[in-house]
Amino acid sequence: MEYPIELTLDEITIILQSVDVVTITGRNARLVATLQSKLDEAAFQIQMNMQMQEQERIQAEQERQRQLEILIAKEAKKTSKTPSN
């Protein structure tokens, strides 16, 4: 039976480092190898999610910047067309 727990990337990294230091032999060796594999995969998934979120944030910021530049250009055209009194 599996029980989900939520760990941060730092927590997973610490557990991975700890497991790497301990030498396990016998019947628990396979269990530890499986645990390392699961932790590696979880760390990878967290890193990928963080990268995707950062890319989405950058794209949203670029789109906001583009929209702002369009708005500024429109306002500049309005200002240049307005006759001075």
Side-chain angles (χ1 to χ4, degrees):
M1 180 174 264
E2 293 183 13
Y3 300 96
I5 62 171
E6 293 184 23
L7 299 173
T8 66
L9 181 56
D10 289 338
E11 292 167 334
I12 291 171
T13 302
I14 289 171
I15 294 170
L16 270 170
Q17 290 170 353
S18 300
V19 172
D20 285 341
V21 172
V22 177
T23 303
I24 305 291
T25 58
R27 66 181 186 204
N28 290 328
R30 182 173 289 169
L31 178 63
V32 172
T34 302
L35 176 60
Q36 285 176 310
S37 178
K38 287 180 178 181
L39 290 169
D40 281 333
E41 179 62 25
F44 176 77
Q45 289 298 326
I46 290 171
Q47 290 170 336
M48 293 302 295
N49 286 339
M50 290 170 65
Q51 286 177 359
M52 286 176 51
Q53 288 174 352
E54 181 63 12
Q55 288 175 347
E56 289 171 358
R57 186 194 66 75
I58 289 169
Q59 288 174 346
E61 181 61 32
Q62 289 172 339
E63 178 60 21
R64 283 190 294 274
Q65 184 67 30
R66 189 180 73 77
Q67 292 294 330
L68 181 59
E69 289 170 359
I70 290 170
L71 182 61
I72 291 170
K74 286 180 181 179
E75 289 300 316
K77 283 182 182 179
K78 286 181 186 178
T79 304
S80 66
K81 289 181 180 179
T82 304
S84 55
N85 291 333

